Amino acid sequence: MVLDFEATTPAGHPPQPIEVAALALHYAAGRWREVGRSTSLIRPPAFAPVTAATTALNGLTPQQLATAPPPDQALAVLDQRFTTGARYLLVAHHAATEANLIYHQREHCPTLAHINLIDTIPLAKHLVPGLDNYRLDTLLAHFAIPRPADRHRAYADVEVTAQVFMRLIDAADRDGALEDLAGLVTIAGRTAKANRPTQQELFEL
């Protein structure tokens, strides 16, 4: 499943989600098939208001988010799309951002919080070496994928991230650069923070 968040970054607090979009993909018989999608605005807490800089980046305004569901409701709905015990991977561009947002909201999306991630940046660096950088816009240009007019909205970014991911996997198939899922995880995998072992205290009192 390809995932993207938009967020605010309040001083003294971790980033707070204000929009989420997810696109579920299944690969079979040599082709990708979309099997579901979800998108929701999210009302941020009072300590994380939408700033003018956030609005300039993605167009989201405080008025748009005033009646959106809060994080516990929006993320619980998303979490229900995952079947407990089924195997998933989350795909994101610069997956550390999504990993941190999910971890800090893990009480609202416990199933999602335990799904490991694939980051398209190290995957692209491995499969398409030599680019000036590996920003999403750079990869869109490289693969001749049109830049959406509403770039930086979650639903638009998840759509083009999915296209980049599919192009990368197709390139890997053609070149034999990846043999299996284990190879993909080795190159671009990121363990969900909720799955990482908890560091024990050096001394127990």
Side-chain angles (χ1 to χ4, degrees):
M1 179 175 282
V2 187
L3 190 72
D4 186 79
F5 282 96
E6 296 299 319
T8 61
T9 309
H13 297 276
Q16 300 294 309
I18 56 175
E19 187 177 36
V20 62
L23 177 61
L25 300 172
H26 180 70
Y27 186 78
R31 70 182 186 92
W32 291 98
R33 182 168 61 92
E34 179 184 327
V35 294
R37 63 172 62 207
S38 174
T39 184
S40 178
L41 295 176
I42 303 173
R43 185 171 75 247
F47 64 78
V50 173
T51 64
T54 299
T55 301
L57 177 66
N58 54 38
L60 290 170
T61 67
Q63 293 75 21
Q64 286 176 282
L65 300 174
T67 58
D72 59 338
Q73 294 179 19
L75 295 176
V77 169
L78 177 60
D79 205 54
Q80 291 170 7
R81 300 183 70 91
F82 298 94
T83 302
T84 302
R87 296 182 64 189
Y88 299 95
L89 280 174
L90 297 177
V91 176
H93 192 74
H94 195 267
T97 300
E98 273 62 36
N100 285 332
L101 280 162
I102 293 168
Y103 183 73
H104 288 296
Q105 300 290 333
R106 62 192 181 279
E107 64 181 302
H108 308 315
C109 51
T111 303
L112 176 64
H114 286 88
I115 301 174
N116 294 328
L117 301 98
I118 295 292
D119 192 336
T120 50
I121 290 180
L123 184 60
K125 288 180 177 180
H126 182 80
L127 296 170
V128 193
L131 298 184
D132 290 340
N133 61 66
Y134 290 85
R135 299 187 184 100
L136 185 55
D137 286 333
T138 301
L139 293 172
L140 295 181
H142 175 79
F143 288 116
I145 298 170
R147 187 181 190 274
D150 46 4
R151 172 84 171 87
H152 295 297
R153 288 295 302 271
Y155 59 80
D157 285 3
V158 82
E159 180 76 37
V160 292
T161 298
Q163 293 183 51
V164 167
F165 176 69
M166 290 186 285
R167 299 286 183 89
L168 289 169
I169 296 301
D170 289 347
D173 284 344
R174 289 194 304 271
D175 298 343
L178 294 173
E179 294 184 357
D180 52 24
L181 180 60
L184 174 64
V185 171
T186 297
I187 292 168
R190 185 180 185 90
T191 302
K193 296 183 79 171
N195 290 337
R196 297 178 185 175
T198 302
Q199 184 175 351
Q200 299 296 315
E201 294 293 335
L202 187 58
F203 301 104
E204 293 189 9
L205 300 179

